[in-house]
Amino acid sequence: MFERKPWAEPYKIKVVETVKVTDREHRLKVIKEAGWNTFLLKSEDVYIDLLTDSGTNAMSDYQWAGMMLGDEAYAGSKNFYYLEANIQKYYGYKYIVPTHQGRGAEHMLSKAMIKPGQFVAGNMYFTTTRLHQELAGGTFVDVIIDEAHDPAVLHPFKGNVDIGKFEALIKKVGAANVAYITVGAPVNMAGGQPVSMANMKAVSKLAHDNGIKVVLDATRNIENAYFIQQREEGYKNKTVAEIHKEFCALSDAATMSAKKDLYVNIGGFVACNDWDLFEELRNMVVIYEGLHTYGGLAGRDMEAMARGLEEAIQDECIAFRVKQVEYLGNMLIEAGVPVVRPIGGHAVFLDAKAFYAHLPQLQFPAQKLAADLYVESGVRAMERGVVSAGRNKETGENNLPKLELVRLTFPRRVYTQSHIDIVAYNVIELFNKRKEAKGLKMIYEPNYLRFFQARFEEMV
Ligand code: PLI
């Protein structure tokens, strides 16, 4: 009767939120008003929202109960100390500074660690991370393996750093001119692709041999630990919690957007092992975020983060999350839809260059595909291509990334298998009429992180 052993969400539903189904005519009208940018849609016009997994998670009853224990003192909230203890326990860093979200952490860390003119190595850029590095006077250098730039290549750890590229950078500019290397694990812009423990060890050794610090972007590191458990020799009998802590121990500091892995709607932190760096961050946080025991967060938010971490780190929790993403990915692969492979941890990424092969990159195929999917189905996704890549900070030319993607991102514990079936059905329908698609022209371009607010018109 069953083709495969059935599986289901490891939770049951206690509170529900009604979603609105709109018609195509309405969606076409509102996407035009939104300048063909899914970020500019009103969420009430969206049926299934796969824009991002950032802050869009469903919290558990355990987290909500914790919210009632919020200690909203200006200084020394007990929720901070609980959060600090949990981060020390599961991540292993000595010192923690809370921030309102990930980019607050990136802002302060970049300012504290980069001297103007220095280079920052990284395994593919992330939008906010690179911008903060540039605003601090640094130049980002991509040292990810070549495979990461090819959506079709199969590699179990496509997020790995190319040790040769990193070494070449150190030789070329001199170790003193490399502020640090940032390792994102998994790599969001590459399709949620993980980094192996072996690679992280090699990065850490090379960096430390040259006196260079390793900064982990720990935003989805629990997902990364799960991939290591599943794919890397020697890890299948370790828990995700053990692998996660071992991975973090290879870095000197971390920035974190708790809005992802930690099942909350807001929050972040920066953590490190070095007292001097901690002092600087703790000094800075009072200027930009808030006191060092709340960093822009309410006490209740810190409690929700601390409790979210306890849940997120459990093997069953993370296994379900990644399998849910794979479920959609495999349906699309079976239907011949071009997607980034292997399927990543937090999202399925459509390969818009192959999907809309007739559209040149500067007609923004991924931007258009995200908008068309919305018009056809009410499903909201996000562009991760030339618009997100922005412009070269020296020449002002458009950066033309090899990956021109649309991200179907999974909020945690929010959607069921039936929602995912609907998403798959609609993507496949759109794929079947892909040749009809027209490109876009950009008519408004913000100076920073243009993908959030840029506006477009459909070409005639
Ligand atoms: O959105 P923030 O400021 O909490 O976090 C910034 C951030 C840093 N690193 C990584 C890997 C991210 O994915 C990230 C935010 N990502 C968003 C908003 C996303 O939609 O993927």
Side-chain angles (χ1 to χ4, degrees), residues 265-305:
N265 305 121
I266 194 74
F269 62 83
V270 50
C272 63
N273 293 324
D274 178 84
W275 174 263
D276 291 339
L277 176 60
F278 171 58
E279 279 233 283
E280 180 61 14
L281 295 167
R282 198 173 53 162
N283 251 261
M284 242 185 239
V285 77
V286 298
I287 313 172
Y288 297 115
E289 302 277 314
L291 198 74
H292 59 280
T293 56
Y294 75 84
L297 296 167
R300 55 180 172 269
D301 296 326
M302 292 188 283
E303 186 69 22
M305 264 167 79

Side-chain angles (χ1 to χ4, degrees), residues 52-54 101-103 106 126 128-129 188 217 219-220 257 259-260 382 384 407:
T52 177
D53 62 334
S54 181
Q101 61 182 86
R103 68 200 73 179
E106 291 169 345
F126 184 71
T128 56
T129 320
N188 191 351
D217 180 341
T219 297
R220 297 183 184 84
S257 170
K259 298 172 74 172
K260 284 79 165 176
M382 177 198 289
R384 291 276 81 152
R407 192 182 72 175

Side-chain angles (χ1 to χ4, degrees), residues 116-328:
Q118 281 188 317
F119 294 86
V120 187
N123 54 344
M124 199 172 271
Y125 84 101
F126 184 71
T127 53
T128 56
T129 320
R130 183 180 64 188
L131 181 57
H132 279 299
Q133 291 164 353
E134 288 177 355
L135 292 173
T139 299
F140 172 80
V141 182
D142 185 7
V143 294
I144 202 166
I145 57 172
D146 288 342
E147 287 88 336
H149 294 283
D150 185 336
V153 163
L154 290 174
H155 185 299
F157 291 103
K158 234 173 155 178
N160 279 354
V161 170
D162 184 323
I163 300 296
K165 286 187 192 169
F166 182 30
E167 205 163 18
L169 174 71
I170 299 171
K171 282 214 177 91
K172 187 170 156 206
V173 303
N177 289 318
V178 180
Y180 55 89
I181 178 165
T182 178
V183 178
V187 183
N188 191 351
M189 302 301 281
Q193 303 297 328
V195 175
S196 71
M197 188 72 80
N199 185 252
M200 186 62 170
K201 281 184 186 160
V203 169
S204 185
K205 172 146 187 8
L206 178 60
H208 292 149
D209 285 351
N210 285 279
I212 296 169
K213 300 271 188 230
V214 179
V215 174
L216 177 64
D217 180 341
T219 297
R220 297 183 184 84
N221 202 56
I222 297 176
E223 279 171 22
N224 199 75
Y226 173 74
F227 281 120
I228 291 175
Q229 184 193 55
Q230 297 300 307
R231 296 182 184 169
E232 193 164 351
E233 185 80 38
Y235 286 93
K236 73 171 187 299
N237 295 323
K238 293 199 174 176
T239 63
V240 166
E242 286 164 344
I243 299 167
H244 178 256
K245 201 163 176 183
E246 184 181 332
F247 199 90
C248 293
L250 295 164
S251 68
D252 304 287
T255 53
M256 174 72 188
S257 170
K259 298 172 74 172
K260 284 79 165 176
D261 258 359
L262 302 195
Y263 285 78
V264 284
N265 305 121
I266 194 74
F269 62 83
V270 50
C272 63
N273 293 324
D274 178 84
W275 174 263
D276 291 339
L277 176 60
F278 171 58
E279 279 233 283
E280 180 61 14
L281 295 167
R282 198 173 53 162
N283 251 261
M284 242 185 239
V285 77
V286 298
I287 313 172
Y288 297 115
E289 302 277 314
L291 198 74
H292 59 280
T293 56
Y294 75 84
L297 296 167
R300 55 180 172 269
D301 296 326
M302 292 188 283
E303 186 69 22
M305 264 167 79
R307 291 180 176 223
L309 171 53
E310 290 165 13
E311 295 181 339
I313 201 82
Q314 304 303 325
D315 282 28
E316 319 76 70
C317 188
I318 184 63
F320 169 74
R321 158 137 187 88
V322 177
K323 282 184 186 154
Q324 195 182 41
V325 178
E326 267 172 9
Y327 174 71
L328 174 63

